[in-house]
Amino acid sequence: MDPLIFIDTNIFLDFYRIRSSDVSIGFLDHIEKHQNKIITGSQIEMEYKKNRQKVILDSLKNYKPPDWGGLTPPAFLSDAQPTKIITKNRKEITSQQKKL
């Protein structure tokens, strides 16, 4: 007899959270691969649907650009090539973060 797998609602919601947890997108492949062994029910589905949007919005609020003040170089390094690259990349990071 094959073992069955129970996945709590919070595990599904962890895919939308910003955390330093072990949950990764790679787990979705495992879930899909073993979907016939997963135990779930209408309560799990209801909790997931009820909380998904809130978790996504909370994650987006916490997804902030870095503190650029810590990357302000002293005046004698302002013309250095690494400083120019940092400035260019800062603009690109800010632009990409806004797109997300």
Side-chain angles (χ1 to χ4, degrees):
M1 181 177 207
D2 288 334
L4 299 176
I5 303 166
F6 174 77
I7 303 175
D8 184 72
T9 306
N10 282 311
I11 298 300
F12 288 117
L13 292 173
D14 278 348
F15 290 106
Y16 299 101
R17 292 185 177 119
I18 298 175
R19 288 190 176 173
S20 56
S21 69
D22 294 336
V23 175
S24 70
I25 296 298
F27 283 157
L28 289 176
D29 293 333
H30 292 298
I31 289 172
E32 188 171 315
K33 182 179 175 183
H34 300 289
Q35 67 183 353
N36 60 337
K37 298 178 184 179
I38 295 175
I39 301 170
T40 190
S42 58
Q43 181 177 355
I44 301 289
E45 180 182 1
M46 180 187 68
E47 288 177 7
Y48 173 80
K49 288 178 178 178
K50 176 183 171 189
N51 293 309
R52 181 177 174 266
Q53 185 173 6
K54 180 186 180 310
V55 169
I56 290 171
L57 291 174
D58 287 346
S59 291
L60 291 174
K61 284 181 198 172
N62 292 325
Y63 188 66
K64 299 174 186 173
D67 175 19
W68 298 116
L71 283 175
T72 304
F76 69 92
L77 293 175
S78 63
D79 288 335
Q81 185 64 25
T83 301
K84 293 174 183 177
I85 293 171
I86 290 171
T87 302
K88 177 185 170 212
N89 288 338
R90 177 189 314 183
K91 291 174 185 174
E92 180 64 20
I93 289 169
T94 302
S95 170
Q96 295 301 322
Q97 193 266 336
K98 286 179 182 178
K99 288 178 184 179
L100 283 175

